[in-house]
Amino acid sequence: MLAPMVAGGVVFPGLFLLSKNTLQRLPQLRWEEPDAVIVSARLVSSVQAIMASTAGYIVSTSCKHIIDDQHWLSSAYTQFAVPYFIYDIYAMFLCHWHKHQVKGHGGDDGATRAPGSTWAVVRGYLHKEFLMVLHHAAMVLVCFPLSVVWRQGKGDFFLGCMLMAEVSTPFVCLGKILIQYKQQHTLLHKVNGAFMLLSFLCCRVLLFPYLYWAYGRHAGLPLLAVPLALPAHVNLGAALLLAPQLYWFFLICRGACRLFRPRGSPPPSPCQTQD
């Protein structure tokens, strides 16, 4: 178990530092540190997502029996990814810090924060990214122990499908970069937004009904009867995992309404939710 975790602890921070230093030092680029930090953090998240979804596809397609079949990647990648969630909490804070230190980059009043306001920035970060920080902490403190201890080698198929939820992450990261650099009205942003919406819907929201359907097919149960056949803690866990996905999907849909609404036209009533 230790070797994959150590590898993850080296790969993800190392890739971040490599990307940041490259963007800052290449003569053709010479990016400022805030820009290099933000883009590098998104790059690492995208790389992790591609690796996770690839591992998930291999595992889920290799397990013909959805309960008993095993694949070595399911446990190996889970251990490898644990350091990523710890690293990413810090990387998100660095992005938040730099956006609030540079004038015009995300400050509430557009002004540079005064030196010595570290605690105010930390509080602002936890307030803005509370759900994401909670998600990452739950991945490390709850989901990882459960996947290693509680599963006892069962259900690699379901774990593989869960890893494939990361398919939407590269589109989310690219969208954030384009918004950061005021490219909301470009064709690339609109195309990326469409892919982000579709991939998030299929790989995160509809993932849970699919898993219930897959278990029902295995057990010879109709879809609506599956929740009643499962232990209560399984349904509770699925509900807790699905809830933030529904919230994020709502935010994506709200952004899509704004993105694809013709300029100058009044917003349709479903999209009038205030920030």
Side-chain angles (χ1 to χ4, degrees):
M1 180 184 298
L2 186 60
M5 295 182 68
V6 171
V10 172
V11 169
F12 296 117
L15 180 58
F16 172 79
L17 292 174
L18 176 63
S19 173
K20 183 176 79 72
N21 291 333
T22 299
L23 293 174
Q24 287 184 272
R25 295 179 182 179
L26 272 185
Q28 300 89 337
L29 298 175
R30 298 289 185 183
W31 284 22
E32 296 293 331
E33 184 172 0
D35 296 327
V37 165
I38 292 169
V39 171
S40 297
R42 307 300 184 205
L43 173 65
V44 175
S45 294
S46 298
V47 170
Q48 191 282 141
I50 293 171
M51 294 171 67
S53 52
T54 301
Y57 176 80
I58 293 172
V59 171
S60 59
T61 55
S62 299
C63 295
K64 305 307 178 183
H65 192 285
I66 66 172
I67 302 298
D68 294 330
D69 282 0
Q70 297 182 6
H71 195 285
W72 66 270
L73 261 179
S74 61
S75 58
Y77 191 82
T78 302
Q79 297 158 21
F80 176 73
V82 166
Y84 165 77
F85 292 104
I86 301 172
Y87 142 82
D88 198 47
I89 291 175
Y90 179 66
M92 289 190 298
F93 172 73
L94 282 182
C95 293
H96 182 84
W97 171 269
H98 283 293
K99 285 191 288 185
H100 284 72
Q101 293 300 312
V102 178
K103 185 177 181 179
H105 278 243
D108 293 339
D109 55 2
T112 306
R113 288 188 179 269
S117 60
T118 303
W119 178 239
V121 178
V122 171
R123 284 186 294 142
Y125 163 67
L126 292 176
H127 176 75
K128 181 180 179 182
E129 302 289 351
F130 173 76
L131 188 58
M132 187 64 74
V133 173
L134 181 63
H135 170 270
H136 281 26
M139 289 294 106
V140 176
L141 300 176
V142 180
C143 294
F144 172 67
L146 288 178
S147 68
V148 172
V149 179
W150 180 72
R151 288 194 314 119
Q152 297 181 340
K154 303 287 186 180
D156 279 11
F157 168 81
F158 295 101
L159 180 58
C161 291
M162 296 291 290
L163 289 173
M164 290 181 64
E166 292 289 342
V167 166
S168 62
T169 299
F171 302 112
V172 174
C173 291
L174 178 57
K176 289 183 177 180
I177 292 174
L178 293 173
I179 291 173
Q180 183 69 31
Y181 296 104
K182 313 300 182 184
Q183 301 298 310
Q184 296 96 319
H185 303 298
T186 62
L187 177 61
L188 174 60
H189 187 259
K190 293 181 178 180
V191 172
N192 180 75
F195 277 107
M196 178 174 64
L197 181 66
L198 182 62
S199 61
F200 202 98
L201 173 64
C202 294
C203 297
R204 287 184 180 261
V205 177
L206 297 181
L207 169 67
F208 293 90
Y210 170 74
L211 294 179
Y212 274 70
W213 173 83
Y215 181 81
R217 185 180 62 171
H218 165 77
L221 297 171
L223 176 61
L224 296 180
V226 172
L228 300 176
L230 292 174
H233 64 270
V234 174
N235 291 317
L236 177 62
L240 291 175
L241 290 173
L242 177 59
Q245 314 306 326
L246 292 175
Y247 172 71
W248 288 323
F249 184 65
F250 163 74
L251 296 181
I252 291 173
C253 290
R254 187 174 66 178
C257 288
R258 294 171 175 170
L259 178 63
F260 292 103
R261 186 173 65 239
R263 294 184 184 181
S265 64
S269 55
C271 302
Q272 288 178 340
T273 305
Q274 296 296 320
D275 288 335

